[in-house]
Amino acid sequence: MAKQDRAIRTRQSILEAAAVVFDERGYDAATITEILARAEVTKGALYFHFASKEELALAVIDAQMPDTVQPAAPTSSSKMQELVDMGMIFAHRLLDDALLRGSVRLTLDHGSTNLNRSSPFHGWTELHTRILTEGKERGEVLPHVVPADTAELIVGAYAGINTMSQAVSNRVDLERRATVLYEHLMPSVAVPSVLARLDMAPGRGARALAEVERMRKSALEASEADEAEELGAAPAGVA
C-alpha cells in the first residue's frame, strides 16, 4: 500500500510540474528536461507513468475535468445553480491552481497543432447538456431551450472569456467576466422563478468551492466510518 501511495504521489508531482512548465512555455516549447527538473524526479520515474511528452500533456489536459472526488459544483436543489456554480468555481480555481492553469493553457493553445485538445470541450459540453436536461425535466428551464445546443454555446462562450481574460489581465478579472456571462445568458435559459433565486454575485466561486470541499470531507468521513464498522464486524481472525 505504501508503494502504491508513493507512486500516486509521484505521478501527481509530475503532472503538477508539467502543468507549470506547459503554462509558462506552451506545449511545443516545453521540454521533458524542464519538467524533470521542476518535478525533481528521474527520467525513469517520469517514463514509468507517461510514455511521452504528448501522453503527459494529454493527462494534464484531462485533469481539468471533475470526478467523483472533486465534483464540478456542490449539489443544489436547483440544477441551474449547479450550472452557474461550475463556471464560477472554475474561474476561482484558475487563480491559484497550477494544474488547472496548465490544462487550460494546453486546451486553448492554438499553437499546439499536433496535440488533440478536444476532450475538455466534449467533456464540459456533455456535463452541461446533462445538467440542462435534468433542469428541463424539473421545470427549471424554458421550453424553447435545446440542452445540447445551449451547452455548446455556454462552453464556447466561456472559452472565449477565458482567452480574453488571460490576454487582458492574466485571468485576474475572469470571475467578473463569468458573472457578466451568466447574467446575460441565464435569463434566456432559466424560468423566471428559478432565475430570481440564482446566486451569481461576486465571490460565488469561493463560496461554492467551500461547499464542494465540505461535501468531499463528509463523504470521506462517511467512507472511513463504514470501513471501520466493517472491520469491527469482521469475524475473529479475519484480516
Side-chain angles (χ1 to χ4, degrees):
M1 183 64 72
K3 185 176 181 180
Q4 182 181 12
D5 289 343
R6 184 165 60 252
I8 292 172
R9 289 195 300 271
T10 299
R11 184 181 188 278
Q12 187 65 22
S13 296
I14 294 169
L15 275 177
E16 291 174 355
V20 172
V21 176
F22 287 138
D23 186 37
E24 291 175 350
R25 299 180 60 78
Y27 175 75
D28 292 332
T31 66
I32 290 295
T33 299
E34 290 177 286
I35 294 169
L36 289 173
R38 189 175 289 271
E40 298 182 342
V41 298
T42 65
K43 184 178 293 187
L46 188 149
Y47 283 115
F48 174 80
H49 293 282
F50 306 100
S52 63
K53 186 175 83 165
E54 179 181 359
E55 184 176 307
L56 177 54
L58 291 174
V60 171
I61 288 175
D62 288 343
Q64 70 178 267
M65 292 304 303
D67 53 32
T68 55
V69 177
Q70 181 72 37
T75 302
S76 171
S77 59
S78 167
K79 301 306 293 186
M80 293 304 93
Q81 185 65 63
E82 289 184 29
L83 190 82
V84 170
D85 285 347
M86 283 197 301
M88 300 304 289
I89 287 175
F90 198 87
H92 178 72
R93 288 180 57 210
L94 267 174
L95 294 175
D96 54 19
D97 188 325
L99 182 53
L100 185 59
R101 290 174 71 93
S103 177
V104 170
R105 168 66 190 269
L106 289 174
T107 303
L108 300 179
D109 187 356
H110 297 291
S112 305
T113 54
N114 296 324
L115 193 65
N116 185 346
R117 300 171 289 110
S118 64
S119 61
F121 292 106
H122 292 309
W124 285 113
T125 299
E126 290 171 4
L127 182 54
H128 279 71
T129 299
R130 184 169 70 248
I131 291 177
L132 284 162
T133 299
E134 292 174 5
K136 196 165 188 178
E137 291 170 351
R138 293 186 182 190
E140 296 184 31
V141 175
L142 292 167
H144 73 273
V145 171
V146 179
D149 292 345
T150 303
E152 286 188 346
L153 173 64
I154 293 173
V155 173
Y158 199 100
I161 64 167
N162 198 341
T163 301
M164 184 173 182
S165 179
Q166 168 64 26
V168 171
S169 70
N170 197 30
R171 296 199 183 94
V172 171
D173 65 356
L174 181 56
E175 286 191 83
R176 179 189 65 78
R177 292 181 187 275
T179 294
V180 173
L181 175 66
Y182 290 120
E183 286 176 344
H184 282 75
L185 282 178
M186 294 313 293
S188 65
V189 174
V191 299
S193 59
V194 171
L195 180 65
R197 299 194 302 271
L198 291 182
D199 183 356
M200 299 180 282
R204 175 61 190 173
R207 295 192 297 274
L209 181 58
E211 181 59 28
V212 167
E213 291 172 346
R214 282 194 293 270
M215 288 168 49
R216 181 176 59 179
K217 182 178 179 181
S218 296
L220 179 60
E221 291 173 348
S223 176
E224 291 174 345
D226 289 342
E227 289 179 5
E229 185 176 347
E230 289 177 3
L231 289 173
V238 177

